[in-house]
Amino acid sequence: MAAKLILGKDVSEAIYSELVDRIGALKAKGITPGLAVILVGEDPASQVYVRSKDKKCKELGIESIQILLPATITQAELIGKIEELNADKSVHGILVQLPLPDHIDESAVIKAISPAKDVDCFHPFNLGKMVIGEADFLPATPAGIHQMILHSGIETAGKHVVIVGRSNIVGKPLAVILMQKGKGADATVTVVNSKTERFAELTRQADILVAAIGRPEYIKADMVKEGAVVIDVGTNRIPDPAAKNGSRLVGDVDFEDVKDKVSAITPVPGGVGPMTICMLMSNTVTAAEMGVSE
Ligand code: NAP
């Protein structure tokens, strides 16, 4: 039987329609959610991300504040800008587009963002709240994956989830989210990394296998269990002479090899990709709502 495709577009549309209602309710109280995005330097990939966030804010009726700063800015100046935004009541979310130039300490910059406006959920305070199950925000990509699981009606309670990759932005927080008590969680979670022994032995045990590795088409059919759910977070650009721009996007999972063995799978592109920005918008609206209830 062909695997069910879990599409980020479908899940994000459902979330956006709820967000439109929540934004309407805020506006009725005279509050327009505001997201400030700081871009340091002119990295082309970062510019694309910042533009797409700006576009989505505008579509939803969120105030988008873009702050473009030169790559030569000092860390103290950047933190000074963040402090201004922390104090600005019209700004509910602050996001610093990463990576930053080498002379700036990313960790110090993230810690300068007020936790109440940390819509990326990278601040240690918010990560700590997530670990103890008291999160205001969840990091966008793992939160998006969680929403895909919930919206698809995939059972997680008692299931073995194997997450390949332990990054601070995907693997680790997703493990925490899925091991919590509650709906869409209660899973038994294994997180594997590049040093893991008997890798395929573990991935083959997964009822839900999440690949967040950054290696094109690494996961093959012999690494997955029959009927498993596969979530492919990878976004890897590989050369393709047949493609218009000479390259194409593939995931960390070999989709063609795996698709007839699994019960559901997220394709790349079109799977997890659209969820990250969706959850960022959701966190911004949550931050604005938190401001109202203060
Ligand atoms: P990352 O920080 O580079 O982490 C990769 C992780 O994979 C590391 O923990 C690494 O292990 C592990 N790994 C690498 N090779 C492995 C192997 N052969 N076996 C087992 N584990 C291995 O990556 P990331 O930021 O989490 O991103 C992962 C992928 O997701 C990338 O393709 C990225 O572009 C994509 N991504 C997509 C979205 C989206 O919105 N769709 C968002 C974020 C990331 P070690 O820790 O031992 O090195």
Side-chain angles (χ1 to χ4, degrees), residues 50-68:
V50 168
R51 272 201 296 274
S52 60
K53 285 163 189 167
D54 178 63
K55 183 165 171 262
K56 188 51 83 180
C57 279
K58 287 185 172 134
E59 273 171 35
L60 291 170
I62 293 174
E63 179 75 26
S64 168
I65 303 128
Q66 281 193 64
I67 297 157
L68 308 177

Side-chain angles (χ1 to χ4, degrees), residues 75 97-101 104-111:
Q75 182 170 315
Q97 187 66 45
L98 302 179
L100 289 170
I104 298 178
D105 175 2
E106 280 185 4
S107 170
V109 169
I110 287 166
K111 286 177 191 147

Side-chain angles (χ1 to χ4, degrees), residues 233-288:
V233 192
T235 44
N236 311 290
R237 196 156 276 288
I238 59 164
D240 181 357
K244 224 201 271 170
N245 63 356
S247 70
R248 73 191 157 95
L249 212 56
V250 297
D252 289 341
V253 177
D254 186 336
F255 183 88
E256 286 304 317
D257 199 38
V258 160
K259 71 178 195 321
D260 295 327
K261 192 171 181 185
V262 299
S263 60
I265 185 165
T266 62
V268 177
V272 175
M275 294 307 298
T276 301
I277 198 162
C278 174
M279 300 319 293
L280 172 68
M281 297 297 128
S282 173
N283 281 349
T284 302
V285 175
T286 301

Side-chain angles (χ1 to χ4, degrees), residues 11 15 130 137-151 169-170 173-174 177 272 275-276 278-280 282-283:
V11 181
I15 294 172
M130 176 181 71
F137 308 115
L138 294 172
T141 303
I145 295 166
H146 189 221
Q147 287 300 320
M148 294 181 99
I149 291 172
L150 284 167
H151 280 254
I169 62 164
V170 186
L174 182 63
I177 293 168
V272 175
M275 294 307 298
T276 301
C278 174
M279 300 319 293
L280 172 68
S282 173
N283 281 349

Side-chain angles (χ1 to χ4, degrees), residues 141 164-171 192-196 199 211-215 218 233-236 252 272-273 276:
T141 303
V164 189
R166 57 173 163 183
S167 72
N168 287 339
I169 62 164
V170 186
V192 307
N193 60 63
S194 65
K195 311 278 191 303
T196 300
F199 172 87
I213 328 171
R215 289 177 183 254
Y218 187 82
V233 192
T235 44
N236 311 290
D252 289 341
V272 175
T276 301

